[in-house]
Amino acid sequence: MASPDLTPRDMTPGQTAARRALFSAVYGTLLASALLAALQRAGEMYTPYYDAMWVLVTAVMAALAHGYAHHMSAHREESAGHRWRILARRLWAEWPLVAACVPTVMLLLAAGVSGWPEESSTLAGLSLNAALLFGLGALSARRSGYGWHSAVLIGSADLALGVAIAVANAVIK
């Protein structure tokens, strides 16, 4: 297992890619949670299909913007064809961000099909995402070389971010 104090320069390309993928998955899960909370509209007609599409569209746009920003920040003098290939690779590397939103999208689609009430669907989605954040945080820590105790603490910190979104949702609404 990799040592936690390894810098990206010290890691293999596979280790670096795995860390980036887990980072993007945490980011995508937080994004899905924030969107789910923000799209909840008490007193208005519940539109789970509309909400699901907005979560998905926002995730795709965030992934494209993130990949493009990475590409532009590392811009070098190269042939146009090479730059386009690098851009395509950077955009493709953002797939975990979009994939992390899929559980929320699926939950919203299931809510629409099953007729679940909005408040229950939102609570279920925020709870699911908080649990995913814990798991992703712990997995990321273990893959980075941390022991189980530290991995649980790091997973708990990610879980706390998900809980903070749920609390913010309750306070704002």
Side-chain angles (χ1 to χ4, degrees):
M1 212 174 254
S3 170
D5 58 345
L6 283 178
T7 64
R9 195 174 336 151
D10 301 324
M11 296 185 304
T12 67
Q15 289 170 319
T16 302
R19 280 190 181 183
R20 268 197 311 265
L22 285 168
F23 165 81
S24 290
V26 168
Y27 184 78
T29 304
L30 284 169
L31 179 67
S33 294
L35 286 166
L36 182 62
L39 289 168
Q40 182 184 15
R41 295 167 304 282
E44 294 182 27
M45 191 170 116
Y46 181 38
T47 56
Y49 302 118
Y50 173 86
D51 294 353
M53 290 305 103
W54 268 115
V55 169
L56 191 58
V57 165
T58 303
V60 169
M61 292 297 112
L64 291 173
H66 196 246
Y68 183 72
H70 274 287
H71 177 69
M72 293 307 293
S73 68
H75 183 58
R76 291 176 267 176
E77 291 295 322
E78 296 161 338
S79 70
H82 186 67
R83 282 195 308 270
W84 281 107
R85 282 190 300 278
I86 291 172
L87 175 60
R89 277 194 298 250
R90 286 187 197 270
L91 294 176
W92 177 248
E94 297 298 325
W95 72 265
L97 189 154
V98 177
C101 291
V102 169
T104 301
V105 169
M106 297 304 289
L107 183 129
L108 286 166
L109 293 175
V113 168
S114 302
W116 297 340
E118 182 175 27
E119 191 172 297
S120 300
S121 301
T122 300
L123 179 61
L126 292 174
S127 300
L128 170 66
N129 287 344
L132 288 171
L133 285 166
F134 174 81
L136 288 167
L139 176 63
S140 179
R142 288 293 296 155
R143 287 224 173 141
S144 294
Y146 288 93
W148 281 107
H149 183 263
S150 296
V152 167
L153 289 174
I154 291 168
S156 297
D158 285 0
L159 170 69
L161 294 172
V163 170
I165 289 171
V167 169
N169 183 48
V171 169
I172 291 169
K173 305 268 175 168

